[in-house]
Structures are given as structure tokens and as C-alpha cells.
Amino acid sequence: MAVFSNDWWPSQVRRPRLRLLAALALSPALAAIPAGLVGFVVAGLNLSDGGAVREQTAIVALSALGALLAFMGSFGLAAILALWATRRRSAGAFALAGAAAGALFLLATNLLVTGLTTTPAQMAAFALLGALTLLIARRIAGVRPPPEAPAG
């Protein structure tokens, strides 16, 4: 069994590697949508000017998209490759790996790139976004647990 073979996917999944590439590209964009919605709600509660609300929402959504694209190109990809190599397929494994990768991505980015400190709220947000991104990628890629063997 090769480390990165097609046995990670059920046999009915067509073009699994192409689906995985699509998942790597699309999942950050789809995970940025809830971040934009949260930004919209927060801005709507704190700003009275509609133009400022739209501007702040766009800033949050685009910032989240940029961060999630960087995440998926680094720590997220590493997490997916580790899951693939170890044949972990469950949603729980993807969520846990995504949360850990998201938190590590934030730490690495803040410590190495910007020199900023990290707050618990930021860690929680990036862990949640990392988990969400990997769960979306799992869904798009078509990764599923193997079918249960018949009892008996």
C-alpha cells in the first residue's frame, strides 16, 4: 500500500485526486463566508453608517479569505497530507487536525511574521476556522469512512 494511494477514498468516488485539489482551492473560500457573516453582524451592531458596515464586512471577509488561503497552502495542507498518510478519514479526525493546524498557523504567523502576541480568542477563532476548512475540504474531496463490514 503506497502512502498516498487512492484507497483513502471509497471506490465510487471518481477522480479523487482532482477532487482533493478542488477541495484545497475551494474550502478556504467557503470557510471565509461564515467569517464574513460574523463580521457583518459585529459591524452592524457597532456601526450606524451602512457604508461603514459594508466596508468593515468586506475587510473581515477578505482578510479571512487571505488567511485561510495561506493556512491551506501551509499548515492545512500538511494536516491533510498527514491524515492521508495515516489513513484517517473520520470527520472527527479532520476537525481535530484542522483545529490543531489552525492554532499552530496562528502561532507561527504571529510569532514569526508579525511579532504579535496571540490571545485565547484568536486561538479559538483560528482553531474553529481550521476545523471548518478541513471539514469542508473533506466533504469536497469525497473522503468517507470505509463501509462497515456486515455482521455475522
Side-chain angles (χ1 to χ4, degrees):
M1 169 172 42
V3 175
F4 297 115
S5 66
N6 285 351
D7 68 348
W8 200 36
W9 289 272
S11 58
Q12 67 268 23
V13 173
R14 296 182 190 260
R15 298 185 184 116
R17 292 171 190 250
L18 184 60
R19 285 184 67 165
L20 180 59
L21 285 174
L24 293 173
L26 293 173
S27 61
L30 294 173
I33 291 170
L37 292 174
V38 170
F40 176 74
V41 170
V42 171
L45 292 173
N46 292 304
L47 300 171
S48 59
D49 179 24
V53 170
R54 287 189 297 278
E55 180 181 328
Q56 289 302 310
T57 301
I59 290 170
V60 169
L62 291 174
S63 296
L65 177 59
L68 289 171
L69 285 169
F71 163 75
M72 189 51 90
S74 57
F75 287 76
L77 177 61
I80 286 179
L81 291 176
L83 289 165
W84 190 2
T86 59
R87 299 298 187 265
R88 303 286 185 233
R89 300 176 182 152
S90 71
F94 271 74
L96 183 61
L104 289 172
F105 174 77
L106 177 68
L107 282 174
T109 302
N110 279 356
L111 294 175
L112 299 175
V113 178
T114 63
L116 297 174
T117 58
T118 303
T119 67
Q122 290 172 327
M123 290 291 282
F126 267 80
L128 180 64
L129 285 172
L132 179 63
T133 303
L134 259 61
L135 286 170
I136 292 170
R138 176 183 181 267
R139 180 72 178 168
I140 293 170
V143 176
R144 303 286 179 273
E148 296 290 326

PDB file of all heavy atoms in Angstrom, residues 10-47:
ATOM      1  N   PRO A  10     -13.623   6.035  -0.965  1.00  0.00           N
ATOM      2  CA  PRO A  10     -14.460   4.896  -1.371  1.00  0.00           C
ATOM      3  C   PRO A  10     -14.316   4.654  -2.868  1.00  0.00           C
ATOM      4  O   PRO A  10     -14.009   5.575  -3.637  1.00  0.00           O
ATOM      5  CB  PRO A  10     -15.887   5.350  -1.032  1.00  0.00           C
ATOM      6  CG  PRO A  10     -15.734   6.456  -0.047  1.00  0.00           C
ATOM      7  CD  PRO A  10     -14.414   7.108  -0.349  1.00  0.00           C
ATOM      8  N   SER A  11     -14.550   3.455  -3.293  1.00  0.00           N
ATOM      9  CA  SER A  11     -14.330   3.091  -4.697  1.00  0.00           C
ATOM     10  C   SER A  11     -15.241   3.855  -5.658  1.00  0.00           C
ATOM     11  O   SER A  11     -14.888   4.053  -6.817  1.00  0.00           O
ATOM     12  CB  SER A  11     -14.526   1.585  -4.888  1.00  0.00           C
ATOM     13  OG  SER A  11     -15.835   1.222  -4.485  1.00  0.00           O
ATOM     14  N   GLN A  12     -16.401   4.315  -5.194  1.00  0.00           N
ATOM     15  CA  GLN A  12     -17.316   5.023  -6.102  1.00  0.00           C
ATOM     16  C   GLN A  12     -16.928   6.478  -6.354  1.00  0.00           C
ATOM     17  O   GLN A  12     -17.507   7.127  -7.212  1.00  0.00           O
ATOM     18  CB  GLN A  12     -18.769   4.939  -5.604  1.00  0.00           C
ATOM     19  CG  GLN A  12     -19.033   5.665  -4.330  1.00  0.00           C
ATOM     20  CD  GLN A  12     -18.863   4.794  -3.091  1.00  0.00           C
ATOM     21  OE1 GLN A  12     -18.164   3.796  -3.114  1.00  0.00           O
ATOM     22  NE2 GLN A  12     -19.491   5.200  -2.003  1.00  0.00           N
ATOM     23  N   VAL A  13     -15.946   7.016  -5.637  1.00  0.00           N
ATOM     24  CA  VAL A  13     -15.515   8.398  -5.841  1.00  0.00           C
ATOM     25  C   VAL A  13     -14.675   8.465  -7.113  1.00  0.00           C
ATOM     26  O   VAL A  13     -13.661   7.798  -7.238  1.00  0.00           O
ATOM     27  CB  VAL A  13     -14.717   8.929  -4.624  1.00  0.00           C
ATOM     28  CG1 VAL A  13     -14.141  10.307  -4.918  1.00  0.00           C
ATOM     29  CG2 VAL A  13     -15.589   8.958  -3.387  1.00  0.00           C
ATOM     30  N   ARG A  14     -15.120   9.291  -8.046  1.00  0.00           N
ATOM     31  CA  ARG A  14     -14.410   9.452  -9.317  1.00  0.00           C
ATOM     32  C   ARG A  14     -13.398  10.589  -9.198  1.00  0.00           C
ATOM     33  O   ARG A  14     -13.667  11.607  -8.580  1.00  0.00           O
ATOM     34  CB  ARG A  14     -15.396   9.760 -10.435  1.00  0.00           C
ATOM     35  CG  ARG A  14     -16.357   8.634 -10.698  1.00  0.00           C
ATOM     36  CD  ARG A  14     -17.260   9.000 -11.863  1.00  0.00           C
ATOM     37  NE  ARG A  14     -18.333   8.052 -11.973  1.00  0.00           N
ATOM     38  CZ  ARG A  14     -18.328   7.056 -12.852  1.00  0.00           C
ATOM     39  NH1 ARG A  14     -17.324   6.910 -13.681  1.00  0.00           N
ATOM     40  NH2 ARG A  14     -19.326   6.217 -12.901  1.00  0.00           N
ATOM     41  N   ARG A  15     -12.254  10.385  -9.819  1.00  0.00           N
ATOM     42  CA  ARG A  15     -11.177  11.377  -9.853  1.00  0.00           C
ATOM     43  C   ARG A  15     -10.869  11.920  -8.454  1.00  0.00           C
ATOM     44  O   ARG A  15     -10.955  13.130  -8.208  1.00  0.00           O
ATOM     45  CB  ARG A  15     -11.521  12.517 -10.787  1.00  0.00           C
ATOM     46  CG  ARG A  15     -11.694  12.087 -12.220  1.00  0.00           C
ATOM     47  CD  ARG A  15     -11.916  13.313 -13.095  1.00  0.00           C
ATOM     48  NE  ARG A  15     -12.168  12.899 -14.446  1.00  0.00           N
ATOM     49  CZ  ARG A  15     -13.316  13.107 -15.073  1.00  0.00           C
ATOM     50  NH1 ARG A  15     -14.306  13.726 -14.483  1.00  0.00           N
ATOM     51  NH2 ARG A  15     -13.468  12.708 -16.311  1.00  0.00           N
ATOM     52  N   PRO A  16     -10.491  11.072  -7.513  1.00  0.00           N
ATOM     53  CA  PRO A  16     -10.304  11.530  -6.138  1.00  0.00           C
ATOM     54  C   PRO A  16      -9.200  12.573  -5.974  1.00  0.00           C
ATOM     55  O   PRO A  16      -9.358  13.519  -5.206  1.00  0.00           O
ATOM     56  CB  PRO A  16      -9.985  10.252  -5.368  1.00  0.00           C
ATOM     57  CG  PRO A  16      -9.529   9.276  -6.390  1.00  0.00           C
ATOM     58  CD  PRO A  16     -10.226   9.641  -7.658  1.00  0.00           C
ATOM     59  N   ARG A  17      -8.116  12.436  -6.687  1.00  0.00           N
ATOM     60  CA  ARG A  17      -7.030  13.410  -6.539  1.00  0.00           C
ATOM     61  C   ARG A  17      -7.422  14.780  -7.104  1.00  0.00           C
ATOM     62  O   ARG A  17      -7.048  15.810  -6.557  1.00  0.00           O
ATOM     63  CB  ARG A  17      -5.755  12.893  -7.187  1.00  0.00           C
ATOM     64  CG  ARG A  17      -5.200  11.700  -6.415  1.00  0.00           C
ATOM     65  CD  ARG A  17      -4.075  11.031  -7.153  1.00  0.00           C
ATOM     66  NE  ARG A  17      -3.726   9.789  -6.512  1.00  0.00           N
ATOM     67  CZ  ARG A  17      -2.602   9.584  -5.848  1.00  0.00           C
ATOM     68  NH1 ARG A  17      -1.717  10.551  -5.757  1.00  0.00           N
ATOM     69  NH2 ARG A  17      -2.361   8.427  -5.290  1.00  0.00           N
ATOM     70  N   LEU A  18      -8.180  14.785  -8.176  1.00  0.00           N
ATOM     71  CA  LEU A  18      -8.679  16.040  -8.725  1.00  0.00           C
ATOM     72  C   LEU A  18      -9.657  16.692  -7.751  1.00  0.00           C
ATOM     73  O   LEU A  18      -9.643  17.906  -7.552  1.00  0.00           O
ATOM     74  CB  LEU A  18      -9.341  15.803 -10.082  1.00  0.00           C
ATOM     75  CG  LEU A  18      -9.826  17.030 -10.834  1.00  0.00           C
ATOM     76  CD1 LEU A  18      -8.668  17.984 -11.117  1.00  0.00           C
ATOM     77  CD2 LEU A  18     -10.498  16.613 -12.132  1.00  0.00           C
ATOM     78  N   ARG A  19     -10.481  15.877  -7.118  1.00  0.00           N
ATOM     79  CA  ARG A  19     -11.406  16.400  -6.107  1.00  0.00           C
ATOM     80  C   ARG A  19     -10.636  16.961  -4.922  1.00  0.00           C
ATOM     81  O   ARG A  19     -11.037  17.980  -4.341  1.00  0.00           O
ATOM     82  CB  ARG A  19     -12.363  15.309  -5.639  1.00  0.00           C
ATOM     83  CG  ARG A  19     -13.430  15.005  -6.668  1.00  0.00           C
ATOM     84  CD  ARG A  19     -14.420  14.008  -6.169  1.00  0.00           C
ATOM     85  NE  ARG A  19     -15.209  14.568  -5.065  1.00  0.00           N
ATOM     86  CZ  ARG A  19     -16.327  14.045  -4.626  1.00  0.00           C
ATOM     87  NH1 ARG A  19     -16.804  12.947  -5.206  1.00  0.00           N
ATOM     88  NH2 ARG A  19     -16.982  14.588  -3.628  1.00  0.00           N
ATOM     89  N   LEU A  20      -9.524  16.324  -4.564  1.00  0.00           N
ATOM     90  CA  LEU A  20      -8.715  16.839  -3.462  1.00  0.00           C
ATOM     91  C   LEU A  20      -8.115  18.193  -3.828  1.00  0.00           C
ATOM     92  O   LEU A  20      -8.114  19.120  -3.007  1.00  0.00           O
ATOM     93  CB  LEU A  20      -7.610  15.844  -3.081  1.00  0.00           C
ATOM     94  CG  LEU A  20      -6.702  16.265  -1.936  1.00  0.00           C
ATOM     95  CD1 LEU A  20      -7.507  16.498  -0.658  1.00  0.00           C
ATOM     96  CD2 LEU A  20      -5.627  15.223  -1.707  1.00  0.00           C
ATOM     97  N   LEU A  21      -7.631  18.339  -5.044  1.00  0.00           N
ATOM     98  CA  LEU A  21      -7.112  19.640  -5.485  1.00  0.00           C
ATOM     99  C   LEU A  21      -8.207  20.699  -5.461  1.00  0.00           C
ATOM    100  O   LEU A  21      -7.968  21.843  -5.037  1.00  0.00           O
ATOM    101  CB  LEU A  21      -6.517  19.524  -6.890  1.00  0.00           C
ATOM    102  CG  LEU A  21      -5.169  18.826  -6.990  1.00  0.00           C
ATOM    103  CD1 LEU A  21      -4.766  18.661  -8.454  1.00  0.00           C
ATOM    104  CD2 LEU A  21      -4.108  19.579  -6.227  1.00  0.00           C
ATOM    105  N   ALA A  22      -9.397  20.347  -5.912  1.00  0.00           N
ATOM    106  CA  ALA A  22     -10.518  21.287  -5.859  1.00  0.00           C
ATOM    107  C   ALA A  22     -10.841  21.651  -4.413  1.00  0.00           C
ATOM    108  O   ALA A  22     -11.127  22.811  -4.103  1.00  0.00           O
ATOM    109  CB  ALA A  22     -11.743  20.686  -6.541  1.00  0.00           C
ATOM    110  N   ALA A  23     -10.770  20.686  -3.526  1.00  0.00           N
ATOM    111  CA  ALA A  23     -11.038  20.940  -2.105  1.00  0.00           C
ATOM    112  C   ALA A  23     -10.017  21.902  -1.514  1.00  0.00           C
ATOM    113  O   ALA A  23     -10.369  22.792  -0.734  1.00  0.00           O
ATOM    114  CB  ALA A  23     -11.032  19.622  -1.328  1.00  0.00           C
ATOM    115  N   LEU A  24      -8.758  21.731  -1.887  1.00  0.00           N
ATOM    116  CA  LEU A  24      -7.714  22.624  -1.384  1.00  0.00           C
ATOM    117  C   LEU A  24      -7.944  24.057  -1.850  1.00  0.00           C
ATOM    118  O   LEU A  24      -7.673  25.008  -1.119  1.00  0.00           O
ATOM    119  CB  LEU A  24      -6.336  22.142  -1.839  1.00  0.00           C
ATOM    120  CG  LEU A  24      -5.867  20.816  -1.253  1.00  0.00           C
ATOM    121  CD1 LEU A  24      -4.566  20.371  -1.919  1.00  0.00           C
ATOM    122  CD2 LEU A  24      -5.705  20.888   0.245  1.00  0.00           C
ATOM    123  N   ALA A  25      -8.479  24.207  -3.058  1.00  0.00           N
ATOM    124  CA  ALA A  25      -8.705  25.549  -3.605  1.00  0.00           C
ATOM    125  C   ALA A  25     -10.011  26.171  -3.109  1.00  0.00           C
ATOM    126  O   ALA A  25     -10.058  27.367  -2.830  1.00  0.00           O
ATOM    127  CB  ALA A  25      -8.721  25.483  -5.130  1.00  0.00           C
ATOM    128  N   LEU A  26     -11.060  25.373  -2.976  1.00  0.00           N
ATOM    129  CA  LEU A  26     -12.384  25.912  -2.664  1.00  0.00           C
ATOM    130  C   LEU A  26     -12.684  26.035  -1.172  1.00  0.00           C
ATOM    131  O   LEU A  26     -13.439  26.925  -0.768  1.00  0.00           O
ATOM    132  CB  LEU A  26     -13.464  25.045  -3.313  1.00  0.00           C
ATOM    133  CG  LEU A  26     -13.507  25.050  -4.834  1.00  0.00           C
ATOM    134  CD1 LEU A  26     -14.514  24.030  -5.347  1.00  0.00           C
ATOM    135  CD2 LEU A  26     -13.838  26.438  -5.346  1.00  0.00           C
ATOM    136  N   SER A  27     -12.146  25.155  -0.366  1.00  0.00           N
ATOM    137  CA  SER A  27     -12.520  25.159   1.054  1.00  0.00           C
ATOM    138  C   SER A  27     -12.174  26.466   1.782  1.00  0.00           C
ATOM    139  O   SER A  27     -12.977  26.913   2.611  1.00  0.00           O
ATOM    140  CB  SER A  27     -11.929  23.950   1.779  1.00  0.00           C
ATOM    141  OG  SER A  27     -10.527  23.958   1.726  1.00  0.00           O
ATOM    142  N   PRO A  28     -11.049  27.132   1.492  1.00  0.00           N
ATOM    143  CA  PRO A  28     -10.815  28.417   2.171  1.00  0.00           C
ATOM    144  C   PRO A  28     -11.877  29.461   1.829  1.00  0.00           C
ATOM    145  O   PRO A  28     -12.319  30.212   2.702  1.00  0.00           O
ATOM    146  CB  PRO A  28      -9.430  28.853   1.670  1.00  0.00           C
ATOM    147  CG  PRO A  28      -8.755  27.597   1.270  1.00  0.00           C
ATOM    148  CD  PRO A  28      -9.851  26.723   0.733  1.00  0.00           C
ATOM    149  N   ALA A  29     -12.301  29.500   0.571  1.00  0.00           N
ATOM    150  CA  ALA A  29     -13.321  30.477   0.177  1.00  0.00           C
ATOM    151  C   ALA A  29     -14.645  30.188   0.865  1.00  0.00           C
ATOM    152  O   ALA A  29     -15.323  31.102   1.347  1.00  0.00           O
ATOM    153  CB  ALA A  29     -13.493  30.471  -1.338  1.00  0.00           C
ATOM    154  N   LEU A  30     -15.007  28.921   0.945  1.00  0.00           N
ATOM    155  CA  LEU A  30     -16.267  28.564   1.587  1.00  0.00           C
ATOM    156  C   LEU A  30     -16.217  28.774   3.097  1.00  0.00           C
ATOM    157  O   LEU A  30     -17.224  29.137   3.707  1.00  0.00           O
ATOM    158  CB  LEU A  30     -16.641  27.119   1.246  1.00  0.00           C
ATOM    159  CG  LEU A  30     -16.966  26.874  -0.226  1.00  0.00           C
ATOM    160  CD1 LEU A  30     -17.158  25.392  -0.507  1.00  0.00           C
ATOM    161  CD2 LEU A  30     -18.190  27.666  -0.644  1.00  0.00           C
ATOM    162  N   ALA A  31     -15.062  28.559   3.706  1.00  0.00           N
ATOM    163  CA  ALA A  31     -14.936  28.775   5.149  1.00  0.00           C
ATOM    164  C   ALA A  31     -14.888  30.264   5.490  1.00  0.00           C
ATOM    165  O   ALA A  31     -15.211  30.645   6.618  1.00  0.00           O
ATOM    166  CB  ALA A  31     -13.688  28.073   5.684  1.00  0.00           C
ATOM    167  N   ALA A  32     -14.507  31.102   4.536  1.00  0.00           N
ATOM    168  CA  ALA A  32     -14.463  32.549   4.789  1.00  0.00           C
ATOM    169  C   ALA A  32     -15.861  33.165   4.821  1.00  0.00           C
ATOM    170  O   ALA A  32     -16.046  34.244   5.390  1.00  0.00           O
ATOM    171  CB  ALA A  32     -13.617  33.248   3.722  1.00  0.00           C
ATOM    172  N   ILE A  33     -16.833  32.485   4.259  1.00  0.00           N
ATOM    173  CA  ILE A  33     -18.197  33.031   4.241  1.00  0.00           C
ATOM    174  C   ILE A  33     -18.750  33.226   5.655  1.00  0.00           C
ATOM    175  O   ILE A  33     -19.244  34.313   5.973  1.00  0.00           O
ATOM    176  CB  ILE A  33     -19.122  32.148   3.374  1.00  0.00           C
ATOM    177  CG1 ILE A  33     -18.715  32.269   1.908  1.00  0.00           C
ATOM    178  CG2 ILE A  33     -20.590  32.541   3.562  1.00  0.00           C
ATOM    179  CD1 ILE A  33     -19.393  31.269   0.995  1.00  0.00           C
ATOM    180  N   PRO A  34     -18.669  32.220   6.548  1.00  0.00           N
ATOM    181  CA  PRO A  34     -19.165  32.469   7.906  1.00  0.00           C
ATOM    182  C   PRO A  34     -18.399  33.577   8.627  1.00  0.00           C
ATOM    183  O   PRO A  34     -18.988  34.335   9.407  1.00  0.00           O
ATOM    184  CB  PRO A  34     -18.981  31.130   8.624  1.00  0.00           C
ATOM    185  CG  PRO A  34     -18.832  30.126   7.563  1.00  0.00           C
ATOM    186  CD  PRO A  34     -18.287  30.829   6.360  1.00  0.00           C
ATOM    187  N   ALA A  35     -17.104  33.700   8.352  1.00  0.00           N
ATOM    188  CA  ALA A  35     -16.335  34.785   8.975  1.00  0.00           C
ATOM    189  C   ALA A  35     -16.859  36.138   8.504  1.00  0.00           C
ATOM    190  O   ALA A  35     -16.970  37.078   9.301  1.00  0.00           O
ATOM    191  CB  ALA A  35     -14.847  34.641   8.637  1.00  0.00           C
ATOM    192  N   GLY A  36     -17.188  36.242   7.235  1.00  0.00           N
ATOM    193  CA  GLY A  36     -17.772  37.482   6.721  1.00  0.00           C
ATOM    194  C   GLY A  36     -19.122  37.772   7.340  1.00  0.00           C
ATOM    195  O   GLY A  36     -19.439  38.934   7.647  1.00  0.00           O
ATOM    196  N   LEU A  37     -19.915  36.737   7.564  1.00  0.00           N
ATOM    197  CA  LEU A  37     -21.223  36.927   8.201  1.00  0.00           C
ATOM    198  C   LEU A  37     -21.077  37.403   9.644  1.00  0.00           C
ATOM    199  O   LEU A  37     -21.821  38.284  10.094  1.00  0.00           O
ATOM    200  CB  LEU A  37     -22.032  35.638   8.138  1.00  0.00           C
ATOM    201  CG  LEU A  37     -22.480  35.206   6.744  1.00  0.00           C
ATOM    202  CD1 LEU A  37     -23.158  33.842   6.792  1.00  0.00           C
ATOM    203  CD2 LEU A  37     -23.395  36.241   6.122  1.00  0.00           C
ATOM    204  N   VAL A  38     -20.112  36.821  10.359  1.00  0.00           N
ATOM    205  CA  VAL A  38     -19.853  37.274  11.730  1.00  0.00           C
ATOM    206  C   VAL A  38     -19.390  38.730  11.707  1.00  0.00           C
ATOM    207  O   VAL A  38     -19.826  39.551  12.527  1.00  0.00           O
ATOM    208  CB  VAL A  38     -18.818  36.369  12.429  1.00  0.00           C
ATOM    209  CG1 VAL A  38     -18.354  36.975  13.747  1.00  0.00           C
ATOM    210  CG2 VAL A  38     -19.400  34.981  12.658  1.00  0.00           C
ATOM    211  N   GLY A  39     -18.515  39.074  10.762  1.00  0.00           N
ATOM    212  CA  GLY A  39     -18.063  40.459  10.622  1.00  0.00           C
ATOM    213  C   GLY A  39     -19.212  41.399  10.338  1.00  0.00           C
ATOM    214  O   GLY A  39     -19.267  42.512  10.865  1.00  0.00           O
ATOM    215  N   PHE A  40     -20.158  40.954   9.521  1.00  0.00           N
ATOM    216  CA  PHE A  40     -21.326  41.766   9.209  1.00  0.00           C
ATOM    217  C   PHE A  40     -22.176  42.018  10.456  1.00  0.00           C
ATOM    218  O   PHE A  40     -22.597  43.149  10.724  1.00  0.00           O
ATOM    219  CB  PHE A  40     -22.170  41.076   8.135  1.00  0.00           C
ATOM    220  CG  PHE A  40     -23.443  41.794   7.813  1.00  0.00           C
ATOM    221  CD1 PHE A  40     -23.426  42.953   7.066  1.00  0.00           C
ATOM    222  CD2 PHE A  40     -24.658  41.306   8.261  1.00  0.00           C
ATOM    223  CE1 PHE A  40     -24.600  43.629   6.761  1.00  0.00           C
ATOM    224  CE2 PHE A  40     -25.832  41.961   7.966  1.00  0.00           C
ATOM    225  CZ  PHE A  40     -25.809  43.130   7.220  1.00  0.00           C
ATOM    226  N   VAL A  41     -22.400  40.977  11.234  1.00  0.00           N
ATOM    227  CA  VAL A  41     -23.203  41.125  12.455  1.00  0.00           C
ATOM    228  C   VAL A  41     -22.509  42.046  13.451  1.00  0.00           C
ATOM    229  O   VAL A  41     -23.129  42.963  14.007  1.00  0.00           O
ATOM    230  CB  VAL A  41     -23.488  39.747  13.087  1.00  0.00           C
ATOM    231  CG1 VAL A  41     -24.103  39.889  14.470  1.00  0.00           C
ATOM    232  CG2 VAL A  41     -24.403  38.939  12.178  1.00  0.00           C
ATOM    233  N   VAL A  42     -21.217  41.842  13.657  1.00  0.00           N
ATOM    234  CA  VAL A  42     -20.477  42.673  14.607  1.00  0.00           C
ATOM    235  C   VAL A  42     -20.455  44.129  14.139  1.00  0.00           C
ATOM    236  O   VAL A  42     -20.696  45.048  14.927  1.00  0.00           O
ATOM    237  CB  VAL A  42     -19.047  42.132  14.817  1.00  0.00           C
ATOM    238  CG1 VAL A  42     -18.196  43.102  15.614  1.00  0.00           C
ATOM    239  CG2 VAL A  42     -19.100  40.772  15.514  1.00  0.00           C
ATOM    240  N   ALA A  43     -20.172  44.339  12.863  1.00  0.00           N
ATOM    241  CA  ALA A  43     -20.151  45.706  12.344  1.00  0.00           C
ATOM    242  C   ALA A  43     -21.536  46.332  12.420  1.00  0.00           C
ATOM    243  O   ALA A  43     -21.677  47.513  12.756  1.00  0.00           O
ATOM    244  CB  ALA A  43     -19.636  45.718  10.903  1.00  0.00           C
ATOM    245  N   GLY A  44     -22.574  45.560  12.121  1.00  0.00           N
ATOM    246  CA  GLY A  44     -23.938  46.076  12.178  1.00  0.00           C
ATOM    247  C   GLY A  44     -24.351  46.475  13.578  1.00  0.00           C
ATOM    248  O   GLY A  44     -25.116  47.429  13.766  1.00  0.00           O
ATOM    249  N   LEU A  45     -23.830  45.768  14.566  1.00  0.00           N
ATOM    250  CA  LEU A  45     -24.161  46.103  15.951  1.00  0.00           C
ATOM    251  C   LEU A  45     -23.377  47.299  16.467  1.00  0.00           C
ATOM    252  O   LEU A  45     -23.805  47.960  17.413  1.00  0.00           O
ATOM    253  CB  LEU A  45     -23.902  44.897  16.860  1.00  0.00           C
ATOM    254  CG  LEU A  45     -24.830  43.696  16.667  1.00  0.00           C
ATOM    255  CD1 LEU A  45     -24.351  42.523  17.503  1.00  0.00           C
ATOM    256  CD2 LEU A  45     -26.258  44.065  17.007  1.00  0.00           C
ATOM    257  N   ASN A  46     -22.239  47.578  15.867  1.00  0.00           N
ATOM    258  CA  ASN A  46     -21.355  48.619  16.386  1.00  0.00           C
ATOM    259  C   ASN A  46     -21.275  49.884  15.544  1.00  0.00           C
ATOM    260  O   ASN A  46     -20.765  50.891  16.009  1.00  0.00           O
ATOM    261  CB  ASN A  46     -19.946  48.060  16.579  1.00  0.00           C
ATOM    262  CG  ASN A  46     -19.903  47.034  17.681  1.00  0.00           C
ATOM    263  OD1 ASN A  46     -20.284  47.317  18.806  1.00  0.00           O
ATOM    264  ND2 ASN A  46     -19.469  45.829  17.349  1.00  0.00           N
ATOM    265  N   LEU A  47     -21.736  49.832  14.312  1.00  0.00           N
ATOM    266  CA  LEU A  47     -21.650  50.992  13.424  1.00  0.00           C
ATOM    267  C   LEU A  47     -23.046  51.407  12.980  1.00  0.00           C
ATOM    268  O   LEU A  47     -23.899  50.560  12.713  1.00  0.00           O
ATOM    269  CB  LEU A  47     -20.790  50.657  12.201  1.00  0.00           C
ATOM    270  CG  LEU A  47     -19.344  50.244  12.486  1.00  0.00           C
ATOM    271  CD1 LEU A  47     -18.695  49.726  11.219  1.00  0.00           C
ATOM    272  CD2 LEU A  47     -18.549  51.398  13.061  1.00  0.00           C
TER     273      LEU A  47
END
